[in-house]
């Protein structure tokens, strides 16, 4: 999945993938309580880059004006924001809001995001791990099945036309099964990397393509001093920066650039980690009077867009998505079952706990079939 960690960058571990726990009313909240895992409510102070200055309040309340609205037409976040009277000076602050939902503000549906959010019930608070999100999954879930996991085995074909399903990997080896749970990211299904025999139903393939998954990357920048605010929204290069030290035990100053959508596409196009870091430092220098370059020590770029087995951040609700998640998640002939965050149909897509919920759901469906 989109999880990973690094322990040698700062004097506390960092999550290279998922890092915030979105609410504690979930299967992972229960696991945290059972295991005594330490998490802390994220209470970082917010700042905004607006009209070429750092501000702590804005002339207009974006969260009320650009909140997902199921009564709105099926239009993008940015088009809806413009209907609410927000001009171009708010563009990258709207990008910050849309980025939380996984995409560029011109691509994500204001309506369907709201419709799907109606089912969200895990809670509204965000939590940070004292260790890492990766550790929670690795130590308390993966460890129980580690001996059964086969690595470096890329599935290229699934032939489910007979009673016994034949799974072929990229090395030409065959693996046999009675039933299969497919958990690859939606991008892999959209790109047709797995040859399904017989072909999947046309309605299912169409549903895959109605689900969005945009570019995304995380860039961690370590500095000798903390010259920045806890959260900074509205950058043209990166719409959302966050203080990585929040909730950690350590003294290093690390700022995270959380880059989504077209901003992530642009940074990816620069071609190197050094160029990506330079662009971000330039923006921070503009915001904080040159302090970023003066205090810069090191950077780590984790580009999920270029990861060949992921190819993006997490799924989002495209304009016209409708009930595509439900169709995409339907089992095929009682043999193929589909799980993963993009297949979550109860509002918890885009999250680790949402992905895990679908795993439980499909194991139950498999056993009933």
């Amino acid at each position: 999945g989109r999880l990973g960690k690094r322990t040698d960058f700062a004097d506390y571990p960092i999550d290279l993938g998922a890092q915030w726990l979105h609410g504690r009313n979930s299967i992972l909240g229960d696991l945290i309580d059972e295991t005594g895992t330490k998490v802390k409510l994220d209470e970082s102070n917010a700042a905004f880059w607006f009209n070429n200055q750092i501000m702590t309040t804005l002339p207009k309340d974006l969260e009320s004006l650009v909140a997902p609205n199921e009564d709105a037409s099926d239009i993008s976040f940015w088009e809806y924001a413009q209907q609410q009277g927000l001009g171009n000076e708010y563009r990258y602050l709207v990008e910050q809001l849309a980025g939380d939902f996984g995409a560029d503000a011109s691509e994500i549906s204001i309506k369907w995001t709201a419709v799907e959010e109606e089912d969200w019930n895990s809670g509204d608070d965000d939590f940070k791990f004292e260790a890492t999100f990766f550790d929670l999954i690795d130590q308390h879930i993966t460890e129980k099945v580690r001996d059964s996991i086969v690595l470096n085995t890329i599935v290229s074909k699934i032939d489910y036309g007979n009673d016994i399903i034949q799974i072929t990997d990229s090395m030409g080896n065959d693996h046999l099964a009675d039933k299969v749970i497919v958990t690859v990211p939606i991008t892999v299904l959209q790109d047709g990397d797995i040859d399904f025999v017989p072909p999947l139903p046309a309605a299912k393939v169409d549903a895959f393509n109605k689900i969005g998954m945009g570019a995304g990357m995380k860039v961690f920048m370590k500095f000798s001093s903390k010259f920045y605010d806890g959260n900074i929204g509205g950058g043209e290069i990166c719409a959302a920066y966050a203080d990585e030290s929040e909730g950690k035990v350590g003294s290093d100053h690390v700022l995270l650039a959380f880059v989504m959508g077209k901003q992530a596409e642009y940074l990816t196009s620069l071609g190197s980690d050094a160029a990506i870091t330079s662009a971000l430092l330039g923006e921070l220098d503009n915001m904080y009077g040159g302090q970023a370059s003066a205090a810069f020590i090191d950077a780590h770029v984790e580009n999920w867009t270029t990861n060949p087995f992921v190819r993006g951040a997490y799924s989002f609700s495209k304009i016209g998505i409708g009930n595509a998640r439900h169709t995409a998640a339907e089992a095929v002939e009682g043999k193929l079952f589909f799980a993963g965050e993009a297949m979550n149909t109860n509002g918890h897509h885009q999250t680790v706990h949402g992905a895990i919920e679908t795993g439980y759901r499909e194991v139950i469906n498999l056993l009933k079939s």
Side-chain angles (χ1 to χ4, degrees), residues 116-343:
E116 293 182 329
E117 266 211 321
E118 279 294 306
D119 293 326
W120 179 278
N121 61 13
S122 63
D124 297 326
D125 291 326
D126 290 328
F127 298 86
K128 292 285 295 290
F129 290 82
E130 182 176 299
T132 65
F133 210 146
F134 178 91
D135 286 324
L136 176 70
I137 303 301
D138 188 55
Q139 295 173 10
H140 302 294
I141 296 180
T142 309
E143 184 59 33
K144 300 179 186 302
V145 294
R146 196 180 305 277
D147 291 343
S148 299
I149 297 174
V150 180
L151 301 176
N152 302 311
T153 306
I154 305 168
V155 173
S156 58
K157 180 180 178 180
I158 299 178
D159 185 339
Y160 64 101
N162 300 306
D163 290 340
I164 300 298
I165 301 171
Q166 182 174 304
I167 303 160
T168 305
D169 64 35
S170 59
M171 300 298 291
N173 301 309
D174 290 329
H175 312 266
L176 304 180
D178 298 311
K179 300 177 189 295
V180 173
I181 300 179
V182 180
T183 66
V184 296
I186 191 66
T187 47
V188 175
L189 292 171
Q190 291 168 345
D191 292 344
D193 284 25
I194 300 175
D195 179 23
F196 290 93
V197 180
L200 295 175
K204 193 172 191 68
V205 175
D206 182 59
F208 292 161
N209 292 320
K210 287 183 177 180
I211 300 170
M213 185 158 147
M217 73 169 66
K218 298 173 72 175
V219 183
F220 301 87
M221 293 169 284
K222 184 161 63 173
F223 299 99
S224 60
S225 62
K226 185 180 176 180
F227 59 86
Y228 46 85
D229 296 274
N231 287 302
I232 312 138
E236 182 177 355
I237 303 295
C238 171
Y241 294 91
D243 182 358
E244 180 63 16
S245 68
E246 176 73 15
K248 300 293 187 178
V249 177
S251 58
D252 281 347
H253 308 294
V254 179
L255 184 66
L256 165 66
F258 183 80
V259 197
M260 301 292 285
K262 292 181 180 178
Q263 291 182 329
E265 291 175 6
Y266 165 71
L267 288 179
T268 298
S269 75
L270 297 181
S272 71
D273 290 357
I276 291 169
T277 303
S278 178
L280 293 167
L281 288 175
E283 176 161 83
L284 290 167
D285 279 341
N286 189 33
M287 292 176 175
Y288 292 99
Q291 295 183 76
S293 291
F296 177 70
I297 297 174
D298 195 9
H300 174 91
V301 178
E302 192 69 23
N303 192 348
W304 291 96
T305 311
T306 56
N307 183 306
F309 305 112
V310 180
R311 305 170 201 170
Y314 40 77
S315 69
F316 69 90
S317 305
K318 288 170 63 174
I319 294 170
I321 188 175
N323 67 347
R325 291 188 196 274
H326 292 266
T327 303
E330 289 176 355
V332 177
E333 297 184 8
K335 296 179 180 179
L336 304 183
F337 302 83
F338 293 81
E341 61 86 12
M343 304 295 173

